[in-house]
């Protein structure tokens, strides 16, 4: 009912979405309405309608690339050394060119991408965090006070694990960390404690070195001459859910599947005849080379020219980009 062009309108006009198979056919899209709103934009810009739609997709990509870059900079993560796990019903429309621009070498797009957060909540380990505040400095470290603080949060975490064991969950562990900073800083970084805790002077030296490493990873520098200020102590109890071992899964043999249909798709330089695959028909090991489209009930994956996507033995779509 809107009168302004959206990314979905652009994807529909470029041939990426099947108007009769949206949500697995449970909802239909109005191609004429999409063409009308984008044609008005194209006329204002002096562009062909497909070029206007292509530009909408590229702008959407650039906005997401910028957001990912900002997150990576904040966390001290190099995209080129990372894997993107794409979530959301629209993730498959954009993720491959985004990964290519960022230099990411591996992309995983789960079959449940359209409901990834809800699905992840069902499969994730059960976590509980206990915390307590106790301020001390590395050059005048309060071993007694910190030990008492850690004992309290350990006991709270152990009690939680025992309650989960009563429900049949037996694989669990506890990890300790502290929010710390260089003396005089205004922000803290969560830093892991040594496995043995902080019982000895050597344990304290290991904690300080851990902080230097975290600070260097996130912010690019370390200051070994500065004292460490520790503020908040944390104990994370993790109860692990059962997992199916990789060895128990049949190895997927690579093969080229037969497309369900063919339709036209636009990829910047012109229209192409694009094979369309239905995800429900694909078996592990299927390799789809771009340009192509894979339609799932809750997402659509656009395999751009120069990319290929394989269905793994775990049922996820995986692509690995070649180094430049």
């Amino acid at each position: 009912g809107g009168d302004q062009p959206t990314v979905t309108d652009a994807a529909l006009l470029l041939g990426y979405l099947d108007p009769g198979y949206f949500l697995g056919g449970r909802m239909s899209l109005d191609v004429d309405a999409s063409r009308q709103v984008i044609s008005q934009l194209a006329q204002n810009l002096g562009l062909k309608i497909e070029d206007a739609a292509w530009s909408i997709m590229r702008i959407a990509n650039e906005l997401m690339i910028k957001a990912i870059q900002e997150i990576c900079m904040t966390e001290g993560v190099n995209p080129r050394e990372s894997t993107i796990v794409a979530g959301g019903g629209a993730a498959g429309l954009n993720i491959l060119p985004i990964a290519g621009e960022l230099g990411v070498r591996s992309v995983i797009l789960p079959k449940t991408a359209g409901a990834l957060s809800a699905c992840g909540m069902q499969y994730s380990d059960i976590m509980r965090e206990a915390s307590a505040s106790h301020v001390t400095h590395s050059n005048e470290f309060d071993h007694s006070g910190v030990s008492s603080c850690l004992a309290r949060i350990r006991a709270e975490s152990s009690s939680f694990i025992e309650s989960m064991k009563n429900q049949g969950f037996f694989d669990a562990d506890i990890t300790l960390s502290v929010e710390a900073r260089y003396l005089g800083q205004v922000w803290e970084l969560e830093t892991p404690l040594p496995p043995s805790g902080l019982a000895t002077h050597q344990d304290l030296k290991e904690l300080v070195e851990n902080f230097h490493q975290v600070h260097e990873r996130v912010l690019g520098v370390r200051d070994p001459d500065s004292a460490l200020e520790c503020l908040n102590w944390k104990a994370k109890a993790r109860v692990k859910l059962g997992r199916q071992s990789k060895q128990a899964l049949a190895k997927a043999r690579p093969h080229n599947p037969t497309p369900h249909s063919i339709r036209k798709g636009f990829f910047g330089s012109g229209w192409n005849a694009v094979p369309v695959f239905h995800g429900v028909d694909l078996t592990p090991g299927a390799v789809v080379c771009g340009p192509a489209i894979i339609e799932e009930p809750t997402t659509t994956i656009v395999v751009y020219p120069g990319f290929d996507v394989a269905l793994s033995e775990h049922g996820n779509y995986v692509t690995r980009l070649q180094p430049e």
Side-chain angles (χ1 to χ4, degrees), residues 22 34 55 63 67 114 139 163 197 202 212-213 216 218 221 247 251-253 262 279 292 306-307 313:
F22 197 71
S34 295
S55 297
L63 291 173
N139 53 3
S163 70
Q202 183 60 36
H212 291 325
Q213 292 178 8
E216 187 171 27
V218 175
V221 295
Q247 289 75 16
K251 292 298 180 182
R253 293 185 177 182
I262 303 289
F307 293 86
E313 61 266 28

Side-chain angles (χ1 to χ4, degrees), residues 303-319:
V303 187
Y304 286 73
F307 293 86
D308 60 72
V309 171
L311 183 63
S312 75
E313 61 266 28
H314 295 275
N316 301 314
Y317 294 102
V318 178
T319 183

